[in-house]
Amino acid sequence: MSQKSTQKEKVQENETEKEKETTTKSNKAKTKKTGQFSKHLVCGICGELFYQTVIITKCLHCFCGGCLSTYFQENDNEECPICNVSDLQVKNFELLDNLVRDFLLENPEKERKKEILEELNKKNGFLDENKNNKEETEKKKKKKKKKIEKKKKIEKKKKIEKKGQSKTKNSCSICSLSGNQIQPIKEYNLTKLPKSLFSYNKFERGVLVKYLEDQDFSFQDMWEQIMKALENGAYSSTDAPNFHNLSPNDKSCESCLEGVVSELIYSYRTNIPNSELPPKITKRQNCWYGRNCRTQKKYDHSSKLNHICEQTKK
């Protein structure tokens, strides 16, 4: 009896060991299978099981909603963290959430701590509730941004106005450029006639010089008369078409000065009464092209026709 009992015990022990081996193998296989399965349920950002899964429809990469929201905020762009695809459309992916839920029923030890999940929930900008908060925040940001931009525009406008005022004080009234050799027109000391006077018409230049000599006027005397006439509005815009609305206090740079002086002397010349000029000067017919005539540089042409007039023929 004792031998039979011993043999029976040995058989039972062998069976128990076999059962243990089978269970161990089964558990190993299950663990291996679980590990392989869980790989497909892991977020590409945090490396943990998906929570409130979202999918990028363009590339089909999936992430935890909270992880992807945080990634977008921290990187200040909306590109896929894995493949960098842009112009994204992100949607909630409940199918993966359900798979994770089923997986956790069999593997509860894999579930993350409650505090971590709550934090992810707060960060998830793809939930409807969080979306509303996010939209509200974005509205506030946009409003603040507009306010800042408006303030900047006002400041910029003020700077431009200030610069314009400064420019008016220290720049040429004709070309608006600033520089050291800028002075009011009335302070100009006219010691000689500009070379380009009357478009280089030497005959008309001689007529003016002779007139000034007869009147016993110096060039500076003429200039002072011009300034008085300018101040009193005696020269209309048609008298000086290239320099409208000039005043004696307007400033001119050295480059523009010759043109200003020539134009004002032309206006002075047009206002000299015919009675104060020789008949041979006043009896000349007007040139069709007037002051714009390109032939007036030739003495023969300019002596026969008057060029102190506006163009009448095109």
Side-chain angles (χ1 to χ4, degrees):
M1 287 291 290
S2 59
Q3 285 180 354
K4 285 183 180 180
S5 176
T6 305
Q7 285 177 354
K8 194 175 181 180
E9 285 175 1
K10 281 183 179 180
V11 170
Q12 285 177 348
E13 283 177 6
N14 288 335
E15 285 177 354
T16 304
E17 283 178 8
K18 283 180 181 179
E19 283 177 6
K20 282 181 180 179
E21 284 178 10
T22 305
T23 305
T24 303
K25 284 180 181 179
S26 176
N27 287 338
K28 281 182 179 179
K30 188 180 177 183
T31 304
K32 189 177 180 181
K33 188 178 179 181
T34 301
Q36 288 174 346
F37 181 67
S38 64
K39 282 180 183 178
H40 301 288
L41 302 176
V42 171
C43 170
I45 296 174
C46 67
E48 299 287 343
L49 289 173
F50 288 122
Y51 180 69
Q52 295 174 342
T53 316
V54 292
I55 184 170
I56 296 173
T57 56
K58 204 168 185 179
C59 59
L60 303 180
H61 287 128
C62 299
F63 308 92
C64 301
C67 292
L68 190 60
S69 295
T70 305
Y71 178 85
F72 284 166
Q73 288 173 4
E74 288 177 353
N75 291 276
D76 197 27
N77 66 40
E78 293 195 357
E79 294 179 352
C80 175
I82 294 174
C83 64
N84 296 324
V85 69
S86 57
D87 192 21
L88 309 180
Q89 187 178 3
V90 181
K91 289 186 176 181
N92 293 313
F93 197 21
E94 291 182 8
L95 177 62
L96 273 181
D97 284 335
N98 293 334
L99 290 173
V100 170
R101 200 174 293 114
D102 293 341
F103 176 79
L104 288 174
L105 288 173
E106 294 183 13
N107 303 275
E109 73 282 357
K110 298 284 185 181
E111 189 167 10
R112 285 190 268 185
K113 291 181 180 179
K114 191 178 179 181
E115 309 87 71
I116 295 172
L117 297 179
E118 284 176 356
E119 190 65 27
L120 281 173
N121 181 66
K122 287 178 185 177
K123 290 178 179 179
N124 189 356
F126 302 104
L127 294 175
D128 290 336
E129 185 182 341
N130 292 346
K131 259 186 183 177
N132 293 334
N133 293 333
K134 191 180 178 183
E135 284 172 6
E136 194 65 33
T137 307
E138 286 298 320
K139 280 181 183 178
K140 286 180 181 178
K141 281 183 180 178
K142 283 181 181 178
K143 198 174 180 181
K144 192 177 179 181
K145 193 177 179 182
K146 280 184 180 179
K147 202 174 180 181
I148 292 167
E149 284 175 356
K150 192 177 179 181
K151 193 177 178 182
K152 282 182 179 178
K153 281 182 181 179
I154 292 168
E155 286 175 358
K156 191 177 179 181
K157 193 178 178 182
K158 283 181 180 178
K159 281 182 181 178
I160 291 169
E161 285 174 357
K162 194 175 180 182
K163 193 176 179 182
Q165 288 170 1
S166 173
K167 198 173 181 181
T168 305
K169 290 177 183 177
N170 304 305
S171 63
C172 174
S173 301
I174 314 303
C175 66
S176 300
L177 294 175
S178 56
N180 297 325
Q181 295 178 324
I182 291 175
Q183 61 178 347
I185 299 167
K186 66 180 180 182
E187 292 179 10
Y188 179 62
N189 186 21
L190 187 61
T191 56
K192 60 180 181 179
L193 297 177
K195 286 182 181 180
S196 60
L197 182 64
F198 305 136
S199 300
Y200 301 96
N201 186 326
K202 290 182 180 179
F203 183 84
E204 296 295 355
R205 185 190 186 94
V207 171
L208 177 65
V209 171
K210 183 70 171 62
Y211 170 78
L212 293 174
E213 287 174 356
D214 292 343
Q215 300 295 322
D216 198 21
F217 287 160
S218 66
F219 293 147
Q220 187 59 31
D221 291 334
M222 176 184 66
W223 187 247
E224 287 173 6
Q225 285 186 0
I226 289 171
M227 289 299 101
K228 283 180 183 177
L230 192 64
E231 194 170 9
N232 296 328
Y235 297 157
S236 65
S237 59
T238 52
D239 291 329
N242 297 328
F243 300 98
H244 294 187
N245 305 318
L246 274 179
S247 76
N249 293 316
D250 284 329
K251 295 179 180 180
S252 175
C253 65
E254 196 173 33
S255 301
C256 295
L257 191 59
E258 184 170 334
V260 173
V261 173
S262 296
E263 193 68 37
L264 291 173
I265 291 175
Y266 175 86
S267 296
Y268 176 83
R269 169 66 180 82
T270 58
N271 283 274
I272 295 174
N274 284 343
S275 58
E276 295 180 11
L277 293 170
K280 68 173 184 178
I281 302 301
T282 57
K283 286 182 179 180
R284 291 176 304 163
Q285 289 185 348
N286 289 343
C287 175
W288 287 340
Y289 302 100
R291 64 186 302 191
N292 299 321
C293 178
R294 288 181 289 181
T295 318
Q296 64 180 307
K297 293 178 185 178
K298 294 181 179 180
Y299 192 85
D300 288 343
H301 177 73
S302 59
S303 62
K304 290 175 184 176
L305 296 171
N306 175 42
H307 292 86
I308 307 300
C309 58
E310 296 303 317
Q311 183 173 340
T312 56
K313 188 175 181 179
K314 292 182 180 180

